[in-house]
Structure formats: C-alpha cells, structure tokens
C-alpha cells in the first residue's frame, strides 16, 4: 500500500452500458496484494455488473482490466480463474446434489490440471480428500463434510461457498455479499473467518453489512450509479460528505 | 440397515447380472421362446438409451437427435454388408465385410466421429436452441439416407445373413442375445467408471452449475464434446447390433420419433441412474407390445401417460427415488 | 425467365408459411421459455378442421374460420391444461410432455379421419392461375397465401409496435423478469401469446392443405424446418423469424430447383434424382450449421 507495490488487480476507466443505461461509469480501482478492499454502494449502483466484468462473465465496453500486470479484458472466466481470481456468488452456486466435501473436492480437482481421467474413482482419491477437508476446516465446516448441500442451512452454504473458493488457492478473492441472508450470529462468525484470511489473500469485498465492512476493510470504495464517488481508508469514508449524502445515514451506523 | 441387509444390497447387482445372462435359459424353461426376441430388442434399445443417458441424465444435455447415431451404426453394418455381397469395395477403396469383429468397431467409429462433428456445432448453443439443433441435424441425416437409393433409400436395406464372429452363428437367438447383453454390460461398466472418475465429476458439475465450473477455472466445452463422442459410440454399437438382429436397416431408425422413444426410455427408467435406461426400454417396449395387441391406436394412451409423467416433474421423481 | 419468376414466387410462398409458424413459436420460446413440439399438431388441426368444414359445408370462408378457430381454441385449452404447468419445468419434461401431446394428436386424427391423406379441392375462383407477368401464369391460391401472410405480418407489426400489449410482448421476449417485475398479469399475457401462436399455426395449416395434402404427421416435418428458421433468426425475435423464413424458404426452393439439374450432369439415372432430393433437403441444415459457426445465438437474438 505504499506507492511502490504494484496493484494485484487494476481497473482503469472501465465503462459498461446496457442500451441507454450506464452500469459502470469510467471506473478506476486498485486492489493490492494482501489487502481487503471493500466496495459499497446503494442498490442498483452497479456492483454486480462490476464483479461480472472483473471475473469475466461480462465484457466492458471500454477501459482496462489488469491482473498481476496481465491484460485480462479478453480472457474468458475460466481463464481468469486459473490465473488466480476466485469468487463467491451472492446466490450460492453449489452442486446441490453433492456433499460439502464433494463440492470442495471439485475445486481442488480443478486446480490439479485437466480432468480427462476416466478410470480412477474420485471417491478414493486421497489427495483431493485431504485438501478438501483442510479447506472445510478453515471455514469451520469440518463436522458437516459429508452432508449434502441440499440439507445445509443457508449460513452453512455461504461458508461452503467460501471454502470452495479458498480451495482454489486464489490470489484474489472476489466476495459477492458473503453476509447476504445471514443472521447476526452467523454474520459475526463469517466476519471472523474472513478476518482470519486477512493478509494471506487479497480480497475485494462487496457488502451491505457495514459492521463487517468497517471491521475488515483496509480501504473502501463507494459506488453510486456506476461511478466511484469516494475511495480511501474507512475513517475517511465515514466522514466524507459526498458519501453521507449518497447513502441514508442509518446504513453507516 | 442390518448386516444381512447390506450383504443383500451388495449381492443385488450380481444377481441382476446373473438374471440378465440367464434369460435365454429361463425363456426355454418357461416354454416361451418368442420372448427371447423381445428380450434381445429390449437389451439393444437399452444400450441405445444408456448412451443417451450419458448426455441427458449425467450431462443435463437434452439431445433430441440421438437416433441419428443409432441409425448410422446400423447403416455401417448394412453398407459394409451390401458391399461384401456385391464384391465391390465402397467408394472404390474400402472392401465390404461381414465380420462382426470389424463391423462393430467401424460402426462405433463412424457414429462417434459424426457425434464429435455435430456435437461440436450443437454445443455452441444451450437450452432451447440446443434441443432444436440436435433435432434438425438428425433430420438432415434422415433425409440423406432416404435419398441413398443405392442402399434402399426409403424402403431400407435387407441383410440376408447376419455378421459372423469366429464360429458363432448370430442367427441363433441365444447367441445374438448374449452378444447384445455382453455389449450392454461392457458399455455400462466403462461409462459407469468414467462417471465416477474425474471426467464424470466435471460432467456432473457442469450440469448442476455451469457458472460454478467457470469460476473454478474449468472450460467445460471439451468435456461435453468428449461425452458426445462416447454417447454417439454407444448408440452406434446398439445400431450395429440391431442391424444384425433384425437383419434390416432403414432411415426410420434415425427418425425423430425414434429419438423421442429413446428419450422416453431414459426418463421413465430413471435419468442419471446407470441401469435406468434398460428398465425404461423394458417398460416402453413391453407397453408397446402389450397395447398394440389391442389396438393400433395405442399411442393415444401413451401420449397422455407421458404428459402425466412429465408433469410430475423431476422434483417429484427424485423424491420417490426414480431419478438420480 | 418465367421459370425463375415461378420459382421465386414458390420460394416466397414457402417462406410465408414458415414465417406464420416461426413467428408464433419463437415468441413462445422467447417469452415463456418453453419448447413446444406440439406446435406442429396445431398446424395439423387447423388443416383437418378446415378440410372437413370445406367438405361438409362447401364454404371456403367457413373453412378458413374453422381452421383458425379450431387451432386457436385447442391451443388455449392446451395452454391452460398442460403448458401452463411446464413453464417452470426442466426442458426434458417440456420435451417429454409435448412429445406425448404429438403422439396423442396424431393418433386422434388417425382415429377420426383415417391414415389416408385428405385432398382439399379449392373453389373455382381459387383454383385457376393468374398472369403475374407477361406469359407467366401462377396459381391463384399460392399468390393468396403470399398476400395473406403479408397482411398478417403487417397486422402483427402494428400490434407489436403500436399497442400496449404488443409492447409487453416485446418486453417479455427480451426480459421475462422485467415484465414480471412490472406487475403485469403474466398468466393472461402467456395465454394470449400462446393463443396467437396457435391461431397462426392453424392458419398456416389450412393454407397448406390444398397444396401439400392433409395427413397425420404433417406437422412434424414442417416443424423441424420451423426450428431451423428460429435457430437462424434468433430465439424470441419476430424480425429474426422473418429473415430466417426468407432465408430457409429461399434456400430450400433454390436447391430443389437447381441441384437435380447439376447432378444430372455428373450422374445418370433415378438414383441421381433421389440423391438430388436428399442434398436439396439437407441444404437448409447446412445453412443453419454455417450460421451457428459465426453466430451461435442466431442473426437477431432477442435477449441482449
């Protein structure tokens, strides 16, 4: 975070339009290695669209997106994931018919080269199993490893999303509202897990839960109508008049 | 479940296999030899439906043109046989043959190759367009074969003598049945293994959440394409067996209604279950045999039955253990 | 020259029929997200109802009304009883259910009318030819088809771009969720769209009767060609249905006119004719394949 370290993820002048609507407006953003960079803003600010452009599900109309110096603008989502961008989904994207362990094992398998293997049964594969159990342990789901996803509680599924992303050993973790739908106790637990990851992996945290944001973030960017109206350390953002004007003050707590 | 219960569960597949291979003997003892032909048809169609199950049940890919590969396999046998009988090589280069050891692999290669080419195009789409395109390509092949008057065209092609395999006589009902049953079991063994291996996990993953697979860094297109090839080969094998069994090949084998029948077998038998399609084939062919004895309009009953099965939905079917 | 004009008109006439079928079907795909194999059955029902009425009453007008009404009514009943429950279903179940409907309707028609094709005789004023250019006679009825579809297409365009309901239909094709969020009575909209598509299919069927003969299973063949039109044009797009229909109708007619002659130069005998027919039939699918290579979602996909 000194002027010398290069950003891990760098967005410059990214713009995205849907017909007449400007979803992302000339946005520039940096995420440095090891930092937690939070992205906040009212609903409809364009956070989902922005995540889509970072991870490769959407293509920006103009601007630059560089990951670790590499221009990723034209790379597909799987390609970017292999470069080290992991993500969690706001509405969990899990393999509902499988167990928690199998879900995480899938992520481990994805990181071990191609999967054109037709004979060796996955169930007996110790390398997958061990790595998966470790990831589950990091998020506190070890006891629920063999439970099918359909039987997991909402909070546990959010934890599982995180475990799956972690099992990819990402360098940047894009978290899309990890607290969505969690009660106060679960939110605190999730905040604790994320706090434990601080410094080990860079995180772009998109969230509404202000307690979590202020507990975790090293820097905060505020997004309104697709444009960044303020960016800086939490203390600054708290006092920024533009931000207070854009938001209802209750949200800021 | 108690110890005894577990032991029974583990024995069940072996018991099933034993029954499967004992059918010719059972049929003899029961004094109903005509049932053997029916059983052979069920096994062969079960194989064809199993190959569709790879795409539909495991892969979540609703292919409505699978009969094309079934027909291609059959025609491979028919054309090679025709060239063998006439003595002229195909296209001036490829000699005809009536050796099963050659025709079966050729049939699988041809249908597999077509599946790869057509699959490469179809897989560029998803959802409703995918279904329409698979149907359209199958129909295209149907028209092609209808127009090949040299091989019977619309009327089809007779195969006077089935292929030979060493000293085995395929005209013998039991021999034909055992060959078909062996092919079915072998195919299911290979596919079952593949579905439990890393390849199968990717297939299952992309069925449940394509977005998740992309986020994990897996480009699923090559895997789906390989699956297409595997499915095509299975259908081709079934087609080749059918050509030998019924000693007749016609474009109707690739007609879209045949694709529909395969789809019905997979769903009724339990999509995503390894042995489901065989059960589905038994049910559909059994139903057809039974009902058509009463009236030629039996499909007027089958139609609404299918509607009801479909309306019960996969959720309901999963709850009663029907589907994986 | 007269041959060229005649073939061109034939191509337009085929395109017209395909458009009637594709326009309704593409909306059902695009708005309700349902694949409906029974669309061909509605076409067949229109043809049968019309043929039967013509034979029973001798009135062309009544026959037309009967065809459209029968298809439209059956369509709406189908929507209410079956299709409605399939909107949220997996595609497999939609295919299975509508395939079951196809089997049912084919057998029902066979039961009612027998398996032999019905031939429709046109009233005197429609069965002659007219001069479309000096020395070029063309069947009046085929011209009527072209004119009818142009009028219908124009009416559809007015309906879709200049009425509120039409706007909802367009919006629904682009974004189902948006329309729902607008608080529009979705069910009513769906039934309307389905009924409209069914009526168009019935119209196509009754127009096809005098040319192609009315028989069980007539719907499925043209349905598959309709699928090709929609895939090329783009799901959910009426404009796509129009362009696709012109492409497919034109290409098919062109190939059938040209390929036999070309093949005769290379091969001899009746085998050549059959093969030519086969290659001509395959043509539209090869066009579809080519379009897919560069535009996997069709030429004018509705969804952005």
């Amino acid at each position: 975070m000194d002027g010398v370290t290069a950003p891990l993820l760098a967005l410059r002048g990214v713009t995205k339009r849907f017909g007449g609507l400007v979803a992302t407006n000339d946005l520039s953003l940096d995420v440095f290695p090891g930092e937690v960079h939070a992205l906040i803003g009212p609903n409809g600010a364009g956070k989902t669209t922005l995540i889509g452009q970072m991870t490769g599900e959407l293509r920006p109309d103009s601007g630059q997106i560089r990951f670790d110096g590499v221009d990723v603008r034209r790379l597909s989502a799987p390609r970017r994931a292999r470069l080290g961008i992991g993500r969690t989904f706001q509405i969990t994207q899990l393999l509902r018919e499988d167990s928690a362990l199998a879900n995480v094992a899938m992520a481990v398998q994805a990181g071990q080269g191609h999967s054109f293997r037709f004979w060796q049964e996955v169930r007996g594969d110790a390398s997958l199993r061990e790595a998966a159990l470790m990831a589950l342990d990091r998020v506190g789901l070890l006891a629920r490893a063999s439970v099918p996803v359909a039987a997991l509680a909402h909070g546990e599924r959010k934890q599982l999303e995180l475990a799956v992303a972690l099992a990819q050993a990402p360098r940047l973790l894009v978290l899309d509202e990890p607290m969505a739908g969690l009660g106060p106790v679960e939110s605190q637990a999730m905040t604790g897990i994320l706090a434990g990851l601080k410094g080990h992996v860079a995180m772009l945290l998109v969230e509404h839960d202000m307690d979590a944001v202020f507990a975790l973030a090293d820097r905060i960017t505020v997004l309104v109508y697709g444009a960044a109206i303020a960016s800086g350390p939490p203390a600054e953002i708290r006092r920024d008049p533009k931000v207070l004007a854009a938001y209802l003050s209750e949200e800021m707590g | 479940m108690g110890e005894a219960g577990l032991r029974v569960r583990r024995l069940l597949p072996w018991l099933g296999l034993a029954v499967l291979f004992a059918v010719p003997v059972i049929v003899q003892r029961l004094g109903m030899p005509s049932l053997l032909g029916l059983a052979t048809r069920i096994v062969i169609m079960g194989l064809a439906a199993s190959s569709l199950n790879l795409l539909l049940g495991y892969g979540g890919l609703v292919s409505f043109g699978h009969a094309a590969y079934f027909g291609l396999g059959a025609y491979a046998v028919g054309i090679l046989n025709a060239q063998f009988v006439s003595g002229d090589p195909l296209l001036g280069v490829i000699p005809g043959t009536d050796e099963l050891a050659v025709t079966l692999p050729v049939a699988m290669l041809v249908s597999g190759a077509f599946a790869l080419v057509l699959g490469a195009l179809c897989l560029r789409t998803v959802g409703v367009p995918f279904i329409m395109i698979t149907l359209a390509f199958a129909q295209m092949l149907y028209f092609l074969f209808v127009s090949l008057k040299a091989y019977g065209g619309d009327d089809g092609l007779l195969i006077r003598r089935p292929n030979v395999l060493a000293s085995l006589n395929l005209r013998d009902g039991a021999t034909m049945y055992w060959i078909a049953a062996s092919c079915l079991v072998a195919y299911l063994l290979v596919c079952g293994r593949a579905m439990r291996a890393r390849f199968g996990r990717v297939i299952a993953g992309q069925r449940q959440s394509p977005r998740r697979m992309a986020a994990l860094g897996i480009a699923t297109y090559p895997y789906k394409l390989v699956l297409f090839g595997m499915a095509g080969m299975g259908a081709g094998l079934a087609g080749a067996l059918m050509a030998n069994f019924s000693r007749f090949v016609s474009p109707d084998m690739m007609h879209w209604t045949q694709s529909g029948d395969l789809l019905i077998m997979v769903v009724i038998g339990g999509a995503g279950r390894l042995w489901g399609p065989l059960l589905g084939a038994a049910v559909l062919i059994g139903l057809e045999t039974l009902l058509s004895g009463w009236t030629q309009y039996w499909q007027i009953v089958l139609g609404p039955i299918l509607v009801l099965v479909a309306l019960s939905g996969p959720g309901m079917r999963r709850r009663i253990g029907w589907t994986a | 020259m007269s041959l060229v004009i005649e073939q061109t008109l034939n191509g337009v006439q085929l395109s017209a029929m395909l458009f009637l079928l594709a326009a309704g079907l593409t909306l059902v795909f695009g708005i309700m997200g349902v694949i409906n194999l029974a669309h061909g059955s509605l076409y067949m029902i229109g043809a049968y109802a019309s043929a039967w009425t013509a034979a029973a009453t001798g009135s062309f007008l009544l026959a037309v009304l009967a065809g459209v009404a029968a298809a439209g009514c059956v369509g709406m009943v189908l929507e209410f009883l079956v299709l409605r429950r399939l909107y949220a279903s997996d595609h497999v179940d939609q295919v299975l259910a509508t395939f079951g409907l196809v089997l049912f309707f084919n057998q029902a028609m066979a039961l009612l009318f027998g398996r032999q094709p019905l031939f429709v005789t046109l009233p005197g004023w429609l069965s002659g030819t007219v001069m479309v250019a000096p020395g070029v006679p063309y069947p009046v009825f085929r011209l009527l088809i072209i004119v009818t579809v142009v009028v219908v297409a124009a009416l559809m365009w007015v309906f879709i771009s200049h009425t509120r309901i039409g706007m909802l239909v367009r919006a629904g094709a682009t974004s189902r969720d948006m329309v729902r969020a607008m608080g529009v009575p979705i069910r009513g909209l769906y039934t309307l769209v389905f009924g409209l598509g069914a009526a168009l299919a019935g119209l196509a069927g009754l127009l096809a009767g005098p040319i192609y003969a009315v028989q069980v299973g007539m719907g499925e063949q043209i349905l598959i060609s309709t699928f090709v039109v929609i895939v090329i044009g783009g799901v959910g797009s009426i404009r796509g249905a129009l362009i696709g229909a012109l492409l497919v109708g034109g290409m098919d007619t062109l190939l059938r006119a040209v390929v036999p002659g070309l093949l005769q130069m290379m091969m001899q005998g009746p085998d050549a004719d059959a093969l030519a027919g086969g290659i001509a039939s395959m043509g539209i699918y090869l066009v579809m394949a080519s379009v897919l290579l560069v535009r996997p979602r069709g030429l004018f996909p509705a969804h952005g």
Side-chain angles (χ1 to χ4, degrees):
Chain A
M1 265 112 26
D2 48 65
V4 182
T5 325
L8 184 58
L9 178 71
L11 269 63
R12 294 282 176 274
V14 173
T15 307
K16 177 94 189 148
R17 282 188 194 83
F18 292 110
L21 176 71
V22 182
T24 310
N25 195 348
D26 196 30
L27 187 81
S28 297
L29 184 91
D30 284 331
V31 181
F32 290 93
E35 81 160 328
V36 176
H37 193 137
L39 195 64
I40 65 176
N43 276 320
K47 303 194 286 291
T48 313
T49 311
L50 188 60
I51 291 185
Q53 290 172 85
M54 285 182 199
T55 53
E57 286 183 324
L58 290 173
R59 292 290 148 88
D61 296 328
S62 61
Q64 273 192 41
I65 304 180
R66 303 188 88 85
F67 182 71
D68 202 16
V70 178
D71 180 8
V72 298
R73 224 188 105 176
R74 287 200 172 70
L75 297 185
S76 66
R79 194 78 183 74
R80 293 190 213 190
R82 288 198 294 276
L83 281 177
I85 302 179
R87 74 169 286 182
T88 66
F89 290 86
Q90 181 188 345
I91 301 177
T92 58
Q93 292 287 327
L94 298 166
L95 311 181
R96 305 183 101 247
E97 293 164 15
D98 295 323
S99 67
L101 184 67
N103 269 269
V104 184
M106 185 80 248
V108 178
Q109 176 183 328
Q112 288 184 357
H114 71 79
S115 289
F116 284 103
R117 309 212 185 280
F118 299 84
W119 194 253
Q120 182 83 346
E121 294 202 20
V122 151
R123 251 200 306 192
D125 196 328
S127 70
L128 292 179
R129 192 181 168 78
E130 279 160 21
L133 287 173
M134 267 179 19
L136 283 172
D137 197 20
R138 266 174 115 179
V139 304
L141 273 181
L142 194 58
R144 306 282 277 162
S146 53
V147 177
V149 169
L152 289 176
H154 178 71
E156 292 175 315
R157 289 188 207 173
K158 296 295 262 185
Q159 285 172 281
L160 183 57
E161 275 273 325
L162 187 59
V164 168
L166 285 176
Q168 286 174 262
R171 290 190 288 157
L172 170 68
L173 195 52
V174 177
L175 298 151
D176 192 353
E177 298 196 36
M179 318 284 172
L182 297 184
V185 174
E186 292 171 317
S187 294
Q188 278 202 334
M190 179 65 88
T191 308
I193 299 170
L194 292 174
L197 294 170
K198 255 181 92 110
H200 299 296
V201 54
M203 290 186 254
L204 181 72
L205 174 67
V206 174
E207 246 312 325
H208 280 297
D209 183 336
M210 288 306 149
D211 292 334
V213 167
F214 282 97
L216 293 166
D218 295 313
R219 285 193 303 152
I220 301 177
T221 295
V222 184
L223 202 65
V224 178
Y225 293 133
I229 64 165
S231 185
E236 256 179 51
I237 295 297
R238 241 200 173 107
R239 292 191 306 259
D240 192 318
K242 295 194 301 276
V243 174
L244 293 172
Y247 254 114
L248 300 163
S249 36
E250 303 106 76
E251 281 236 64
M252 306 289 278
Chain B
M1 196 177 285
E3 257 295 335
L6 270 168
R7 212 175 292 151
V8 168
R9 270 197 89 181
R10 222 173 289 143
L11 279 179
L12 219 54
W14 296 106
L15 205 67
L17 270 179
V19 169
L20 182 70
F21 281 100
V23 164
V25 177
I26 297 173
V27 151
Q28 273 282 29
R29 292 292 165 81
L30 285 177
M32 292 198 271
S34 60
L35 278 186
L36 186 58
L38 188 68
T40 312
R41 263 188 75 207
I42 289 175
V43 166
I44 294 177
M45 294 315 288
L47 174 58
S50 297
S51 68
L52 178 60
N53 194 22
L54 277 186
L55 293 176
L56 181 60
Y58 290 98
L61 301 164
V62 187
S63 169
F64 203 66
H66 207 61
Y69 310 109
F70 179 69
L72 277 168
Y75 265 98
V77 171
I79 291 177
L80 283 174
N81 189 67
Q83 300 304 141
F84 173 75
V85 165
S86 74
D88 303 320
L90 178 67
L91 298 175
V93 199
I94 308 168
T97 175
D98 74 338
E99 305 267 340
L100 195 71
V102 176
T103 60
L104 283 192
V106 168
M108 289 175 76
L109 269 168
V110 168
S111 46
F114 268 89
L116 285 176
V117 171
L118 295 178
L121 281 168
C122 296
L123 286 170
R124 290 173 71 76
T125 63
V126 289
V128 166
F130 176 79
I131 303 174
M132 294 196 283
I133 288 158
T134 53
L135 179 56
F137 277 138
Q139 198 65 357
M140 174 185 82
L141 287 174
Y142 171 79
F143 282 130
L144 177 65
F145 280 92
V146 163
S147 74
L148 289 180
K149 283 284 184 269
Y151 298 111
D154 218 350
D155 298 322
L157 193 61
L158 279 170
I159 300 174
R160 299 211 178 279
R161 251 175 278 154
N163 291 159
V164 299
L165 180 67
S167 57
L168 295 174
N169 173 24
L170 264 68
R171 243 199 261 253
D172 172 46
T175 311
M176 185 73 235
Y177 177 86
W178 277 319
I179 290 179
S182 307
C183 289
L184 172 69
V185 171
Y187 187 72
L188 286 180
L189 264 166
V190 171
C191 290
R193 253 344 263 228
M195 290 301 112
R196 290 193 298 275
R198 294 196 177 205
F199 177 78
R201 291 297 304 149
V202 172
I203 295 299
Q206 64 81 38
R207 171 173 55 84
Q208 294 175 74
S209 178
R211 282 182 86 191
R212 169 51 68 197
M213 301 309 279
L216 289 180
I218 300 179
T220 55
Y221 180 87
Y223 296 91
K224 290 189 279 192
L225 189 57
V226 169
L227 191 71
F228 234 89
M230 288 169 68
M233 287 173 77
L237 177 60
L241 289 169
M242 185 58 97
N244 274 286
F245 170 66
S246 60
R247 277 178 266 140
F248 177 67
V249 175
S250 98
D252 281 342
M253 294 172 91
M254 344 187 145
H255 196 247
W256 70 275
T257 46
Q258 182 72 277
S259 290
D261 281 351
L262 291 176
L263 198 92
I264 295 172
M265 291 177 199
V266 173
V267 177
I268 285 190
R273 288 207 186 290
L274 197 61
W275 293 92
L278 179 63
L279 181 64
V283 170
L284 186 64
I285 293 177
L287 208 67
E288 180 185 353
T289 311
L290 205 67
L291 291 177
S292 59
W294 288 339
T295 166
Q296 59 165 319
Y297 301 108
W298 63 278
Q299 285 180 333
I300 215 170
V301 173
L302 179 65
I305 291 178
L306 293 178
V307 174
L308 288 173
V309 170
L311 289 183
S312 74
M316 166 69 102
R317 293 201 290 272
R318 218 170 270 137
R319 271 197 289 278
I320 61 179
W322 201 341
T323 264
Chain C
M1 190 56 205
S2 65
L3 198 65
V4 173
I5 296 180
E6 189 189 327
Q7 289 298 350
T8 308
L9 284 174
N10 280 349
V12 176
Q13 178 247 304
L14 178 59
S15 301
M17 304 272 292
L18 287 171
F19 174 71
L20 282 182
L21 285 168
L25 199 54
T26 199
L27 286 182
V28 170
F29 289 166
I31 299 181
M32 286 101 99
V34 177
I35 178 158
N36 177 23
L37 297 176
H39 203 73
S41 301
L42 295 167
Y43 168 86
M44 177 181 69
I45 287 172
Y48 267 108
S50 170
W52 184 81
T53 309
T57 68
S59 159
F60 178 69
L61 187 62
L62 277 180
V64 171
L65 286 174
V68 176
C73 289
V74 172
M76 289 206 273
V77 168
L78 267 186
E79 199 272 338
F80 184 74
L81 284 180
V82 179
L83 270 299
R84 182 168 287 206
R85 290 160 224 271
L86 290 173
Y87 296 145
S89 297
D90 287 351
H91 287 315
V92 193
D93 291 321
Q94 293 174 358
V95 168
L96 199 68
T98 54
F99 182 63
L101 290 174
V102 169
L103 292 180
F104 174 76
F105 282 120
N106 277 339
Q107 291 302 308
M109 290 299 123
L111 206 63
L112 287 173
F113 297 102
R115 290 187 198 275
Q116 293 297 76
L118 282 183
F119 293 99
V120 181
T121 40
L122 289 168
W125 58 283
L126 279 176
S127 51
T129 62
V130 82
M131 291 293 176
V132 293
V136 187
Y138 194 71
V140 173
F141 189 68
R142 287 188 186 239
L143 267 180
L144 179 69
I145 293 179
I146 297 176
V147 169
T148 307
V149 176
V150 168
V151 169
V152 167
L155 285 173
M156 277 187 77
W157 181 77
V158 168
F159 173 71
I160 294 231
S161 8
H162 296 281
T163 67
R164 187 159 175 271
I165 302 182
M167 179 212 53
L168 289 172
V169 168
R170 260 184 303 140
T174 327
S175 167
R176 233 170 290 157
D177 299 315
M178 179 163 79
V179 175
R180 234 178 264 140
M182 282 163 66
V184 171
I186 273 293
R187 285 200 158 176
L189 185 68
Y190 286 1
T191 310
L192 179 73
V193 171
F194 199 82
L196 187 69
L200 288 175
L203 179 64
L206 75 93
L207 288 173
I211 305 181
Y212 301 116
V214 181
Q215 59 187 342
V216 167
M218 68 189 282
E220 280 63 73
Q221 187 35 57
I222 200 163
L223 183 71
I224 296 178
S225 304
T226 308
F227 284 170
V228 174
V229 168
I230 294 177
V231 165
I232 290 179
V235 171
S237 160
I238 303 250
R239 189 177 16 151
L242 184 63
I243 306 289
L246 284 170
L247 253 168
V248 172
M251 184 49 98
D252 193 64
T253 310
L254 180 71
L255 285 173
R256 281 180 206 286
V258 163
V259 172
L262 280 178
L263 224 61
Q264 288 289 358
M265 290 194 273
M266 294 188 276
M267 284 172 63
Q268 249 80 8
D271 278 14
D273 283 339
L275 187 62
I279 293 180
S281 300
M282 285 173 70
I284 61 169
Y285 303 105
L286 294 171
V287 171
M288 178 185 76
S290 318
V291 170
L292 279 178
L293 276 174
V294 281
R295 288 246 200 278
R297 301 191 44 225
L299 296 173
F300 303 100
H303 295 261

